[in-house]
Amino acid sequence: MTVLDDRTTAATWPAAYPQGYAVVDVETTGLARDDRIVSAAVYRLDAQGNVEDHWYTLVNPERDPGPVWIHGLTTDVLEGAPLFPEIAAEFAARLDGRVLVAHNAMFDWQMIAREYARAESAAPVRQRLCTIALAKELSLPLPNHKLESLAAHFGVVQQRAHNALDDARVLAEAFRPSLHAAAERNVRLPLLECRPLTEWAASPAQPRIGHQAGYASSYRAGSWRPSRKRPPCPYPNPGRYETDKPLKQGMRVAFSGDTSVDRELLEDRTVEAGLHVAGSVSRLTSLLVTNDPDSATSKTVKAKSFGTPIVDEAAYTQLLRDVAPADG
């Protein structure tokens, strides 16, 4: 029998756990919806978290490279790199049939999904796992949830922070003991569904800005999905959501934490249903939607102190299908 660590063996490995993982890190031109990937790395792991192989590529973002002082990739370095559509097939092959693992996985997944949407394709990813969420699930004694803190906890040495290949290596080495700790305790892995961004429309190409011009703002006209100010909700707030009753138009809904559906798309559907998207939680908030109700975010703490109802994303998307009209 193969011994996986001091206490966990192949025979006692949870049967419900995934059969393979793709540990991913991407470096980008920024953090907004229209920003682009400049480098990507994937470590493929087997069911027990052992490294099978790794892959790395630069990507020409066709625009200013953004915060060079963070990722170190200048316009000159990226000039001869392949465009994303040119590496999309190889990237997809590395992800296919595996759970995408990343530190702050919502960000990496959304950047990857948007690149595939621009290329009129979709990444073959069905689920993702955030190592921040897993660390919380395991109650690891970390001072914060930075990758460097997770690495230090497991004795993993980081050589080049914000280099996609080294960050992916560090995460892969820290994920394996995390996975084994979860298996030993039979902890449910915090897996979330990944849905392709089929609702995004192409935007005009952005002019390339030389690296001497500095870091251009990510928020500008003609962006990947132009931001727009939402009109005020036309319906009065009918009060708090009540369990086993439908949502009612005018209710104030707040969101906290990672979601399977892109946050902006989820908010759009909320508005389209006649509900009000609240940026914060107050006594007037009708409902908080979160997949991590035990987290100590300001929204969940306030919701619990106010007695605001809390539901997860799956329950909320079901409720969105049958929203009651506002009181006449």
Side-chain angles (χ1 to χ4, degrees):
M1 185 178 296
T2 302
V3 178
L4 303 174
D5 63 21
D6 292 339
R7 289 157 290 189
T8 307
T9 65
T12 60
W13 196 262
Y17 277 23
Q19 294 303 302
Y21 303 88
V23 177
V24 173
D25 186 75
V26 297
E27 296 299 317
T28 67
T29 61
L31 307 177
R33 295 185 301 276
D34 64 325
D35 276 300
R36 306 297 300 271
I37 291 175
V38 294
S39 64
V42 181
Y43 268 73
R44 289 196 289 192
L45 312 181
D46 66 14
Q48 286 80 40
N50 302 304
V51 175
E52 296 177 333
D53 58 29
H54 64 268
W55 172 79
Y56 172 76
T57 184
L58 297 176
V59 182
N60 186 335
E62 301 183 277
R63 52 153 288 180
D64 183 272
V68 173
W69 59 91
I70 294 178
H71 53 59
L73 301 174
T74 65
T75 298
D76 291 341
V77 170
L78 297 171
E79 188 68 40
L83 304 178
F84 188 86
E86 296 172 326
I87 61 95
E90 177 67 17
F91 199 177
R94 301 279 168 174
L95 301 173
D96 193 18
R98 297 170 184 266
V99 171
L100 185 150
V101 177
H103 204 65
N104 189 11
M106 177 171 63
F107 172 77
D108 291 80
W109 163 245
Q110 289 185 358
M111 293 303 298
I112 292 167
R114 287 170 188 146
E115 288 287 7
Y116 274 97
R118 291 185 184 97
E120 299 183 348
S121 183
V125 179
R126 297 294 173 264
Q127 290 180 308
R128 67 178 182 269
L129 188 157
C130 180
T131 47
I132 295 175
L134 181 57
K136 291 179 179 178
E137 199 76 30
L138 295 171
S139 300
L140 298 182
L142 305 178
N144 53 54
H145 293 291
K146 294 181 179 179
L147 177 57
E148 61 190 51
S149 298
L150 183 66
H153 177 77
F154 289 111
V156 179
V157 178
Q158 191 165 25
Q159 298 170 349
R160 297 179 61 191
H162 300 295
N163 171 274
L165 183 60
D166 196 58
D167 280 354
R169 174 193 63 81
V170 168
L171 189 57
E173 292 183 15
F175 175 63
R176 184 178 185 276
S178 298
L179 180 62
H180 282 243
E184 177 193 339
R185 292 156 49 183
N186 203 25
V187 170
R188 181 186 64 84
L189 296 180
L191 301 174
L192 287 176
E193 182 184 1
C194 289
R195 300 181 187 178
L197 299 186
T198 56
E199 297 181 37
W200 297 80
S203 65
Q206 294 299 318
R208 182 142 184 186
I209 304 171
H211 65 282
Q212 298 297 330
Y215 178 41
S217 171
S218 295
Y219 299 93
R220 56 188 180 275
S223 64
W224 173 233
R225 191 186 193 201
S227 59
R228 67 260 187 246
K229 185 177 180 180
R230 291 192 177 92
C233 183
Y235 309 110
N237 184 357
R240 289 183 173 173
Y241 165 72
E242 296 180 45
T243 304
D244 298 328
K245 290 186 178 181
L247 293 170
K248 183 175 289 188
Q249 288 180 326
M251 283 186 171
R252 298 174 63 92
V253 180
F255 299 90
S256 178
D258 196 4
T259 53
S260 295
V261 177
D262 181 274
R263 174 67 65 81
E264 180 133 339
L265 297 181
L266 192 58
E267 292 179 353
D268 282 353
R269 292 170 186 167
T270 299
V271 171
E272 290 164 3
L275 303 168
H276 175 94
V277 174
S280 60
V281 173
S282 71
R283 296 183 186 280
L284 298 177
T285 305
S286 306
L287 181 69
L288 175 66
V289 179
T290 178
N291 288 317
D292 190 8
D294 295 324
S295 66
T297 65
S298 61
K299 289 181 181 178
T300 54
V301 170
K302 286 183 179 178
K304 289 177 181 178
S305 68
F306 296 147
T308 304
I310 299 175
V311 301
D312 63 19
E313 179 187 1
Y316 180 65
T317 53
Q318 290 294 322
L319 289 170
L320 272 181
R321 296 180 179 182
D322 188 24
V323 178
D327 295 330

